[in-house]
Amino acid sequence: MTFLVTNDDGIDAPGINALHKALFQVTTEPIVVVAPKHHQSGCGHRVNIRTLIPVEWRSDKEVSVDSTPADCVRLGINYLYDNINFVVSGINSGCNLGSDIYPSGTIAAAREATLHRIPAIAFSHFKRTDWELDWERATQWTVRVLQEILTQTLDPGALWSINFPHLEPEAPEPEIIFCSLCTRPLLTEFVKQENGYIYVGDDINRKSDSGTDVDVCLSGNIAIAKISLW
């Protein structure tokens, strides 16, 4: 088995480094990185068609692609490497809960892998605007989750979406809770500015249905949801 690691925050983001470190702790299988050169948050499942996609080989196991997360997966599994058996995306700096799965580039990378019949996991981390993320803690949570779900068989057409809570340093370790996706819409909080509007929504204020991924994550636990494409 060879793991392909990608993200939408860019190849130099701390989240992808945390994910890479976690994988090294749970597997001895080969791990390669194919990730966007630049930040691609919110790009959804966009791909570039009939435009040049620059590719930079940083080493034989790390490739920077000047395009979207979906393109990173498309190139990674079909042209850059042979025998990719699993795709892991993240860790995104910011949650991808409920209806966030549609604009999320993190989820799109995992979705693209699933369309190619390759199992995939997307990791995201809820972020309070006034706190810093603890990436070392996130690495250890990722290890816990990988040990839990890598032994499970994904249904055809399904992928895992994991969201970590943002906890205070002294908070107890979160539970791992399998749950469903929240079906409420994205926050639509805007303020008028000059001749337009600017988004000011804060995920901490999201409404949720009981027991869904939004409810679980914002309550301080690790939310694991299965997304089925068909």
Side-chain angles (χ1 to χ4, degrees), residues 2 5 7-8 27 31 53 57 64 70 80 86 114 121 155 182 197 200 205 210 214 216 218 223:
T2 298
V5 177
N7 71 349
D8 77 353
T27 183
I31 302 169
I53 301 176
W57 286 84
S64 167
L80 303 178
F86 215 110
T114 304
I121 310 171
D155 301 327
C182 184
Y197 289 83
V200 295
N205 299 317
S210 179
V214 174
V216 169
L218 297 189

Side-chain angles (χ1 to χ4, degrees), residues 71 81 86 103 136 142 145-146 152 181 191 202 207 211 221:
D71 271 341
Y81 291 103
F86 215 110
E136 186 56 41
T142 303
V145 170
L146 289 171
Q152 300 190 30
L181 290 174
V191 294
D202 189 340
K207 295 179 180 178
N221 291 303

Side-chain angles (χ1 to χ4, degrees), residues 4-23 31-36 69-70 72-73 86-96 104-111 120-125 133 135 138-139 142 146 159-164:
L4 185 148
V5 177
T6 190
N7 71 349
D8 77 353
D9 286 335
I11 195 166
D12 296 311
I16 198 169
N17 182 56
L19 177 55
H20 204 192
K21 286 170 61 178
L23 270 173
I31 302 169
V32 297
V33 175
V34 181
C72 288
V73 173
F86 215 110
V87 171
V88 190
S89 180
I91 303 170
N92 190 65
S93 178
C95 60
N96 284 303
S104 168
T106 305
I107 300 292
R111 185 190 302 118
I121 310 171
F123 284 91
S124 306
H125 199 316
L133 291 176
W135 289 113
T139 297
T142 303
L146 289 171
L159 61 101
W160 294 113
S161 174
I162 288 85
N163 278 271
F164 297 137

Side-chain angles (χ1 to χ4, degrees), residues 185-211:
L186 290 167
L187 290 169
T188 52
E189 298 175 7
F190 296 83
V191 294
K192 187 150 180 40
Q193 189 174 97
E194 299 176 355
N195 62 342
Y197 289 83
I198 186 167
Y199 181 73
V200 295
D202 189 340
D203 285 304
I204 195 66
N205 299 317
R206 292 175 74 153
K207 295 179 180 178
S208 66
D209 299 311
S210 179

Side-chain angles (χ1 to χ4, degrees), residues 17-153:
N17 182 56
L19 177 55
H20 204 192
K21 286 170 61 178
L23 270 173
F24 269 121
Q25 293 182 49
V26 299
T27 183
T28 57
E29 303 294 343
I31 302 169
V32 297
V33 175
V34 181
K37 180 177 181 179
H38 302 293
H39 196 277
Q40 297 284 334
S41 183
C43 69
H45 211 117
R46 183 170 63 84
V47 296
N48 283 308
I49 300 173
R50 296 185 178 88
T51 57
L52 180 68
I53 301 176
V55 170
E56 174 193 354
W57 286 84
R58 294 188 171 186
S59 73
D60 61 348
K61 294 183 179 179
E62 185 179 30
V63 185
S64 167
V65 177
D66 196 356
S67 192
T68 65
D71 271 341
C72 288
V73 173
R74 285 151 61 93
L75 288 171
I77 65 178
N78 292 301
Y79 293 93
L80 303 178
Y81 291 103
D82 296 324
N83 303 317
I84 298 297
N85 308 107
F86 215 110
V87 171
V88 190
S89 180
I91 303 170
N92 190 65
S93 178
C95 60
N96 284 303
L97 297 161
S99 50
D100 295 344
I101 66 171
Y102 298 102
S104 168
T106 305
I107 300 292
R111 185 190 302 118
E112 181 67 32
T114 304
L115 291 171
H116 289 270
R117 279 39 177 191
I118 296 174
I121 310 171
F123 284 91
S124 306
H125 199 316
F126 169 59
K127 186 180 188 304
R128 295 176 182 265
T129 55
D130 53 343
W131 297 1
E132 292 297 320
L133 291 176
D134 183 343
W135 289 113
E136 186 56 41
R137 197 178 195 187
T139 297
Q140 296 312 310
W141 288 347
T142 303
V143 170
R144 286 178 56 196
V145 170
L146 289 171
Q147 290 172 336
E148 177 83 22
I149 64 177
L150 283 179
T151 59
Q152 300 190 30
T153 302

